[in-house]
Amino acid sequence: MKMIQKPSIYLLSLLLLAGCGGGSNDNATTTNDASIPVEESQPTPTTQPTQPVNQKLTIEGNVIADTAIAQATLFWDQNSNGEADAQEPTTQSDATGHYQLDLNQSDLDQIGYINLIAFGGHPVGLDSPFEEQLSTIGEYNATMHLTPLTTLIAQNLEAEASATKNNQSFAKLSAQEIVQKIEEIKNDLSTILGIAKTLLTADPISFATQGDQTLLSNNQKIHQLTKSMKKAMKQELRESKRSALESYRLLSRELRRAEKRGDDALIEAVEQASSDTTLFESNLVPTLKKETQTVIEQINIFWRNNEKTPVDTQLLQELILDLENRLNPPKTVVTPLPVVTTDDYPYIPKELNQSVAIRFLNKASFGATQESIQELQSLGVEGWIDKQLSLPLVADNYLRKTIEIAKEAEPTKNPYSIEEYLADNDKVFNKNVASFHSPRFMQSAWFDTALRAPDQLRHKLTYALSQIIVESDFEPIFTRRGEALSYYFDILARNAFGDYKSLLTDISFSASMGLFLTYNGNQKAYVNEANVTVYPDENYAREIMQLFSIGLNELNLDGSPKKDADGNLIPTYTQTDVNELARVFTGWDTQRSGAGDDNLWDGFGKVGFTRGDFTQPLEFTASYHDTGAKTLLGGSIPAGLSGEEDIKKSIDIIMANPNVAPYISRNLIMRLTKSNPSPAYIQRVATVFNQTQGDLKAVTKAILLDPEIWEDMTQLRSVKFKEPLIAYTEILRSLHVQPLPYWYFCGYGAPEDENASNCEKVYNKFLFNNPTDFLGQGAGRAPTVFNFYDNSFVPNDPTFKTTAQVAPELQIQDDTMLINFNNTIRRAFDWDITYMLTKTLSDGSRYPDLDALLQYAPRDYNIPIYYVGADKYLIDLQADYDFLEQGIDGDTDGDFEELKDNYQDGNQTIINQAVYDFIGYVDNRLLGGLLSNAERDAIYQALTENTIYNHWAGDDSIFAKKQQIMNNVIRPTYRAIMSSDKFMTE
């Protein structure tokens, strides 16, 4: 059964995860439709339109895991200054799970009408002022995308039919009108090519400007054209380009809808009218646009006469030839290329399109980048995986990065070299300091690795393992000993491409795990002074079995539970097993646990903020160890073994349990690729686990190359909700994140003078604070040993309940988190290099470059540069500014010359076209072009509802234009797409 794609956030994914339909999308292709939604006209208003503020629009619908209300508020603040308000809009909910949402006119002005199709609700009370506004979204959106989820599930076939009906309502052009549009395109392109050829050859030309005619002879240079002549030529090019694109977008949209309606007569008329061209092939839109804009850019180079950027006459000739061939193509027969797949994995396409490449890299790394997409497409999937698996380990990566930041931020507290701190000696990093800042240094090291490390697969698997073998700074001592978690992540990374048995062994000797799960200082049974027998602590003994290896109940190889003759689940271990294993983990505590000269409280197992070395393994004290014989899971551990031998023998017994393979395989699949893997998928991976004795390289490769996940990806099925933390790293990587050249560390204070003499400069390093404040999770910050969420979590929704499908990541995504997440996206754009340099100082001046901005940050109270609570990084969106300027000006010289106020005539169509094209550009970069036409149209409507550029306060500077381009186009476009269901699911 085919589902209609929905633009509401998470809505489609809820359906797909619940098994209610496939993921095919008739409108989702890797080539975006470069057409603006049809508008009858765009008159230039003389004043801002006003609407009564006391009218109400009531929306009601079905709540899905309490996320629907949150989506209504995600775009609550469309400007750059405010924060989303969790208290608005006003909502009411009843016991049936329905909610009612009241919005007044001022609310809608702030939210933008895109939210009307993001609620998953439908309008039930529509006062007249809103009827016209809702109609600007289109009948298709109003009637289809506001359908409640329950109705959609119950009436899938009816919904599909309704979509077809609503598509028909958009038909605005007759067959005769479409034929006329084809002729207009031909004429406009002929005009553009004629101008380009004239400029290229410097033939005599004549321009009529203000009643004068000027002749340009063969030996005159193009750059000698008068200003008025240049203006006339630019106007002619602009009008021809605008006319061609407008005609084409109308034509292409009507063609698609005609195909869906089965309107053979219209299709035949178009085919006859365009039979002598190749202008209307499906791949023309980006090619035509790019080639036309390149031609115009070359003309601009002629005019500028810039010796550093000579005209590429060969390129210009090639473009003219190509476009002329499109107008008058040679008669050739094209044979489609066959679909080529890899030999060993025939279900994996050898040639990956953008959307599939992005989906794969988002599973196998911390986010796709253009560079990683190109590498994947070049190497192929298996080649990319093999290269990642072969990249060398950077020893002590997390701890080393943590120490590097600490040494620069607090040099007097950390006087020794990094190598001295890493060595096993008495120079213990942070032991005598117990810095309150060490957790943020650890988080910064983790983000630096996730965002920039070349061995992305190793560290993505490391993060997945950290959610199986959990350790957390919810241990109070870790709030000042952040290096403990850095060392823990290094253990995981060191073993990520090793075998699972070695990983369990190393973790069992970890000082930080000993403290977190309380076997640090564990002693054999003894009778205390009150004559009470004290038995060994059972915490780690229980969790190493229940959570880290075999689980609670016996499993078949495919992950399904085994049952006894009475149909009951069969436990994997007993309380006796826990008691026996607790005896194994006795006699261990942290090294260097003394408190210095005052040794009154020194002794075995003592803990404190300034006690113990958390960057080295536990040390063994034989007198506290239980050396007696032990039994475990049906196996035996002989008496008289050393503490290390006892632990290794117990892990041998655990690893021999048949539950390890399906239990760990299922957990890794759920963390990396799919929330509800089939039993067959689990069994295939578990078989590899058993065959390779838990080789995590082989297991990871099996997970990523399995046919089930590749069918999901190539069919564009959403099979997993993204964790907020992973969504955040994907966002930052997509925005070309990099560290600041330097920033100021002033502790919890601020610079005392213009030179920040009381602060330290930290060079080329990120600073990230506790992400749980805005993401609900962070690396090494799970609230308990059971991780951030329960693998068995079923959202409170009938669809999930009836199908028993799980969505663990939704357990932490409540309204507040989603609002904070969206605000975090908004704030990220404040760190764009170009945007930072547009800010005006108190004297009206601006910084000439980034170095000046950083240098004068203390003087100018540029708080984010030195406030320790502000994350510090840069993003680079120059390509985005260039894309928009190319669409508006036809060049990328940075002046946005043709960006005019909304109330200035002559250029709004061009600006709006550039905005619409930019939506497709971002869609393609982030999603591979998965947004439907309706979703792109909705974002476009929201953006163009307000002024794109306002000639305010007489400031027509380049800086003002770039600020408004950022705040009114770039930032909201990214926020809309990054908050969509297409982005937040895999």
Side-chain angles (χ1 to χ4, degrees):
M1 183 180 297
K2 184 168 62 176
M3 286 299 303
I4 302 300
Q5 292 286 336
K6 308 293 290 178
S8 58
I9 299 173
Y10 296 163
L11 207 56
L12 169 64
S13 310
L14 287 164
L15 297 174
L16 294 178
L17 281 169
C20 290
S24 62
N25 185 348
D26 293 338
N27 292 326
T29 64
T30 56
T31 301
N32 286 325
D33 172 27
S35 58
I36 301 176
V38 173
E39 296 182 13
E40 295 297 334
S41 63
Q42 291 185 344
T44 302
T46 56
T47 59
Q48 287 282 10
T50 59
Q51 294 288 351
V53 297
N54 59 344
Q55 300 292 340
K56 290 285 185 179
L57 170 62
T58 301
I59 304 289
E60 72 173 21
N62 191 265
V63 177
I64 311 302
D66 295 326
T67 61
I69 293 290
Q71 308 318 318
T73 62
L74 283 181
F75 290 88
W76 188 253
D77 171 32
Q78 285 285 16
N79 60 52
S80 65
N81 299 318
E83 297 285 337
D85 185 353
Q87 304 303 316
E88 296 288 350
T90 305
T91 63
Q92 297 178 352
S93 177
D94 59 29
T96 65
H98 282 72
Y99 67 88
Q100 178 174 302
L101 177 71
D102 290 335
L103 300 172
N104 59 31
Q105 175 61 38
S106 60
D107 295 336
L108 290 177
D109 286 342
Q110 294 185 70
I111 295 175
Y113 295 112
I114 182 174
N115 294 287
L116 292 179
I117 62 169
F119 295 144
H122 63 281
V124 295
L126 195 62
D127 292 324
S128 58
F130 297 98
E131 291 177 354
E132 180 179 354
Q133 295 161 5
L134 191 60
S135 69
T136 64
I137 299 174
E139 181 182 351
Y140 179 84
N141 294 329
T143 59
M144 194 60 223
H145 292 297
L146 297 179
T147 304
L149 178 63
T150 51
T151 303
L152 183 65
I153 295 173
Q155 301 177 354
N156 287 302
L157 294 177
E158 290 79 0
E160 189 170 11
S162 175
T164 302
K165 177 181 178 181
N166 283 311
N167 280 331
Q168 293 175 346
S169 68
F170 275 92
K172 295 180 179 292
L173 300 180
S174 65
Q176 182 178 358
E177 290 171 327
I178 287 178
V179 171
Q180 181 180 350
K181 291 297 179 185
I182 292 174
E183 294 305 316
E184 290 176 4
I185 291 174
K186 294 178 184 178
N187 293 334
D188 290 329
L189 287 183
S190 295
T191 300
I192 293 172
L193 295 179
I195 293 173
K197 289 170 68 177
T198 300
L199 291 175
L200 182 65
T201 59
D203 286 336
I205 55 176
S206 133
F207 294 97
T209 57
Q210 299 179 349
D212 297 326
Q213 288 193 346
T214 303
L215 183 68
L216 184 66
S217 64
N218 282 328
N219 60 355
Q220 286 180 298
K221 295 182 179 180
I222 300 301
H223 71 267
Q224 292 175 332
L225 292 172
T226 65
K227 183 177 180 180
S228 61
M229 293 166 65
K230 295 177 185 178
K231 182 177 180 180
M233 177 172 279
K234 290 183 74 173
Q235 181 66 21
E236 187 174 3
L237 284 173
R238 185 183 306 121
E239 290 177 355
S240 296
K241 172 188 172 184
R242 177 180 59 193
S243 176
L245 292 177
E246 285 179 349
S247 298
Y248 187 81
R249 68 168 175 264
L250 293 174
L251 175 65
S252 60
R253 182 159 67 182
E254 295 305 328
L255 275 174
R256 288 194 306 273
R257 288 167 179 157
E259 290 173 354
K260 289 184 178 181
R261 295 193 304 267
D263 191 341
D264 296 334
L266 189 147
I267 295 173
E268 183 179 355
V270 172
E271 290 176 348
Q272 290 178 356
S274 59
S275 60
D276 60 340
T277 74
T278 59
L279 290 176
F280 310 109
E281 295 173 349
S282 61
N283 65 347
L284 175 73
V285 179
T287 304
L288 175 63
K289 177 173 176 290
K290 181 179 179 181
E291 291 186 359
T292 303
Q293 290 177 336
T294 304
V295 169
I296 296 174
E297 170 63 18
Q298 292 297 311
I299 294 172
N300 288 332
I301 295 174
F302 265 119
W303 287 337
R304 289 195 298 266
N305 192 30
N306 187 342
E307 295 180 358
K308 295 182 179 179
T309 310
V311 176
D312 191 338
T313 55
Q314 181 179 353
L315 172 63
L316 191 54
Q317 288 172 340
E318 291 174 353
L319 293 174
I320 292 172
L321 179 63
D322 180 70
L323 288 170
E324 286 187 330
N325 284 338
R326 290 185 181 280
L327 282 170
N328 301 287
K331 304 300 181 181
T332 57
V333 177
V334 180
T335 303
L337 294 175
V339 177
V340 181
T341 58
T342 57
D343 295 333
D344 294 335
Y345 304 95
Y347 44 83
I348 300 178
K350 190 172 183 179
E351 302 294 334
L352 294 179
N353 63 37
Q354 181 95 344
S355 61
V356 175
I358 290 172
R359 291 168 76 83
F360 172 78
L361 288 169
N362 285 347
K363 295 177 186 294
S365 72
F366 286 100
T369 64
Q370 291 305 306
E371 294 76 15
S372 64
I373 291 170
Q374 292 171 5
E375 182 183 44
L376 175 64
Q377 291 172 331
S378 173
L379 297 176
V381 176
E382 187 177 19
W384 184 90
I385 293 173
D386 288 341
K387 179 180 178 180
Q388 285 286 309
L389 294 175
S390 67
L391 291 175
L393 169 72
V394 177
D396 305 310
N397 168 75
Y398 293 94
L399 181 56
R400 184 181 296 272
K401 289 180 182 295
T402 301
I403 297 173
E404 286 175 352
I405 301 173
K407 281 182 61 61
E408 290 193 37
E410 300 179 301
T412 59
K413 296 179 180 179
N414 301 285
Y416 301 112
S417 70
I418 294 175
E419 297 307 321
E420 286 177 303
Y421 279 132
L422 293 175
D424 189 357
N425 57 40
D426 289 335
K427 298 173 182 177
V428 180
F429 171 65
N430 198 40
K431 175 178 179 291
N432 297 324
V433 178
S435 172
F436 286 101
H437 299 292
S438 62
R440 60 169 47 95
F441 297 157
M442 176 269 158
Q443 285 296 316
S444 302
W446 185 89
F447 271 102
D448 186 278
T449 302
L451 298 176
R452 296 200 295 172
D455 49 341
Q456 283 283 298
L457 181 55
R458 177 191 298 277
H459 294 289
K460 187 64 179 292
L461 182 58
T462 295
Y463 178 65
L465 290 168
S466 76
Q467 297 193 65
I468 300 172
I469 303 174
V470 176
E471 188 175 307
S472 168
D473 75 346
F474 270 71
E475 164 56 48
I477 289 178
F478 293 170
T479 60
R480 292 176 61 184
R481 300 294 298 275
E483 75 275 12
L485 288 175
S486 298
Y487 181 70
Y488 155 75
F489 271 96
D490 279 327
I491 293 176
L492 298 178
R494 184 168 65 243
N495 290 279
F497 289 165
D499 63 89
Y500 198 75
K501 175 181 173 181
S502 296
L503 173 57
L504 274 187
T505 302
D506 282 1
I507 282 293
S508 296
F509 291 113
S510 164
S512 55
M513 183 61 78
L515 191 62
F516 180 62
L517 289 183
T518 60
Y519 61 99
N520 175 75
N522 209 16
Q523 302 182 32
K524 61 186 176 182
Y526 66 95
V527 177
N528 65 13
E529 296 176 353
N531 201 32
V532 175
T533 302
V534 179
Y535 294 97
D537 187 281
E538 300 172 357
N539 201 358
Y540 186 68
R542 178 176 293 102
E543 308 309 356
I544 192 177
M545 293 189 291
Q546 177 181 337
L547 300 177
F548 301 173
S549 60
I550 61 177
L552 280 172
N553 300 302
E554 292 187 9
L555 304 172
N556 296 303
L557 192 60
D558 64 3
S560 60
K562 293 181 178 180
K563 296 182 179 180
D564 60 21
D566 297 325
N568 299 315
L569 297 175
I570 305 172
T572 53
Y573 62 87
T574 65
Q575 181 57 41
T576 299
D577 291 318
V578 174
N579 296 339
E580 292 290 280
L581 188 54
R583 296 171 57 208
V584 170
F585 292 101
T586 53
W588 297 91
D589 76 337
T590 61
Q591 298 185 48
R592 306 173 182 94
S593 58
D597 296 336
D598 180 8
N599 61 5
L600 177 64
W601 298 102
D602 289 357
F604 177 76
K606 297 296 183 182
V607 296
F609 288 118
T610 57
R611 294 176 184 269
D613 185 347
F614 297 115
T615 65
Q616 299 295 332
L618 293 165
E619 66 180 0
F620 180 65
T621 303
S623 59
Y624 293 103
H625 180 60
D626 187 331
T627 59
K630 308 166 185 77
T631 61
L632 176 67
L633 301 174
S636 62
I637 301 173
L641 297 182
S642 68
E644 182 176 347
E645 290 171 335
D646 252 6
I647 289 177
K648 290 183 176 180
K649 180 61 176 176
S650 67
I651 291 176
D652 284 342
I653 294 174
I654 291 172
M655 288 298 301
N657 190 288
N659 246 44
V660 176
Y663 177 79
I664 297 301
S665 296
R666 179 175 181 269
N667 272 273
L668 287 174
I669 292 170
M670 292 184 70
R671 296 286 70 79
L672 291 174
T673 59
K674 189 172 185 178
S675 294
N676 294 280
S678 71
Y681 187 4
I682 297 172
Q683 182 167 336
R684 287 189 293 269
V685 175
T687 298
V688 172
F689 190 104
N690 283 335
Q691 290 174 344
T692 62
Q693 290 76 52
D695 182 348
L696 292 175
K697 270 190 178 182
V699 170
T700 301
K701 192 169 182 178
I703 291 172
L704 295 177
L705 293 175
D706 192 83
E708 181 169 319
I709 197 61
W710 276 96
E711 181 181 349
D712 292 332
M713 286 191 290
T714 55
Q715 295 299 316
L716 305 181
R717 296 174 184 146
S718 297
V719 295
K720 184 178 185 294
F721 287 93
K722 284 182 183 173
E723 301 173 49
L725 180 61
I726 298 303
Y728 187 44
T729 63
E730 290 178 8
I731 288 170
L732 293 177
R733 280 173 59 83
S734 72
L735 298 178
H736 313 290
V737 68
Q738 55 188 291
L740 281 168
Y742 66 87
W743 43 273
Y744 300 89
F745 179 83
C746 309
Y748 289 110
E752 296 176 353
D753 52 49
E754 292 186 359
N755 297 320
S757 56
N758 62 312
C759 307
E760 300 291 341
K761 288 184 180 179
V762 180
Y763 291 89
N764 296 309
K765 292 176 178 61
F766 292 110
L767 181 67
F768 284 93
N769 289 273
N770 183 359
T772 57
D773 293 340
F774 53 89
L775 298 177
Q777 64 174 163
R781 290 182 179 269
T784 72
V785 72
F786 296 98
N787 198 21
F788 306 104
Y789 31 68
D790 183 355
N791 271 355
S792 62
F793 175 74
V794 178
N796 185 23
D797 177 78
T799 304
F800 282 95
K801 289 182 176 180
T802 56
T803 58
Q805 300 289 289
V806 301
E809 295 81 4
L810 282 185
Q811 192 172 11
I812 60 173
Q813 298 187 36
D814 58 15
D815 297 1
T816 300
M817 191 240 65
L818 290 168
I819 294 169
N820 289 338
F821 176 75
N822 196 263
N823 284 330
T824 300
I825 299 175
R826 182 190 64 77
R827 287 190 294 268
F829 289 86
D830 291 339
W831 292 99
D832 171 58
I833 300 173
T834 301
Y835 183 70
M836 291 171 72
L837 296 178
T838 65
K839 301 300 181 64
T840 306
L841 302 179
S842 58
D843 61 0
S845 65
R846 290 183 171 90
Y847 298 111
D849 51 40
L850 184 60
D851 286 341
L853 183 149
L854 298 177
Q855 177 183 349
Y856 296 114
R859 181 198 70 183
D860 299 331
Y861 303 102
N862 196 338
I863 295 175
I865 305 301
Y866 57 76
Y867 171 52
V868 74
D871 294 350
K872 302 181 196 333
Y873 53 84
L874 288 176
I875 61 174
D876 185 1
L877 297 175
Q878 185 58 51
D880 298 75
Y881 291 99
D882 287 347
F883 184 95
L884 282 162
E885 188 183 11
Q886 184 71 54
I888 296 170
D889 284 5
D891 58 40
T892 57
D893 59 9
D895 62 4
F896 282 95
E897 179 183 1
E898 297 300 324
L899 182 59
K900 307 291 186 182
D901 190 286
N902 272 26
Y903 309 115
Q904 294 175 324
D905 293 333
N907 69 336
Q908 278 310 294
T909 301
I910 293 174
I911 294 174
N912 288 347
Q913 178 67 54
V915 169
Y916 194 80
D917 290 345
F918 182 72
I919 295 169
Y921 163 80
V922 177
D923 172 27
N924 196 57
R925 277 192 55 206
L926 298 180
L927 304 175
L930 291 184
L931 289 182
S932 66
N933 292 336
E935 289 166 319
R936 288 196 297 272
D937 290 356
I939 297 173
Y940 170 78
Q941 292 287 353
L943 296 181
T944 56
E945 191 74 32
N946 298 310
T947 303
I948 297 299
Y949 172 63
N950 185 7
H951 185 77
W952 48 273
D955 188 354
D956 197 24
S957 68
I958 295 173
F959 305 102
K961 289 182 176 182
K962 289 181 177 179
Q963 278 191 28
Q964 295 194 52
I965 280 290
M966 165 61 81
N967 292 329
N968 298 332
V969 181
I970 296 177
R971 191 195 308 257
T973 297
Y974 275 98
R975 289 178 74 190
I977 295 177
M978 288 172 173
S979 300
S980 70
D981 64 311
K982 298 281 183 14
F983 184 83
M984 290 299 292
T985 57
E986 300 177 4

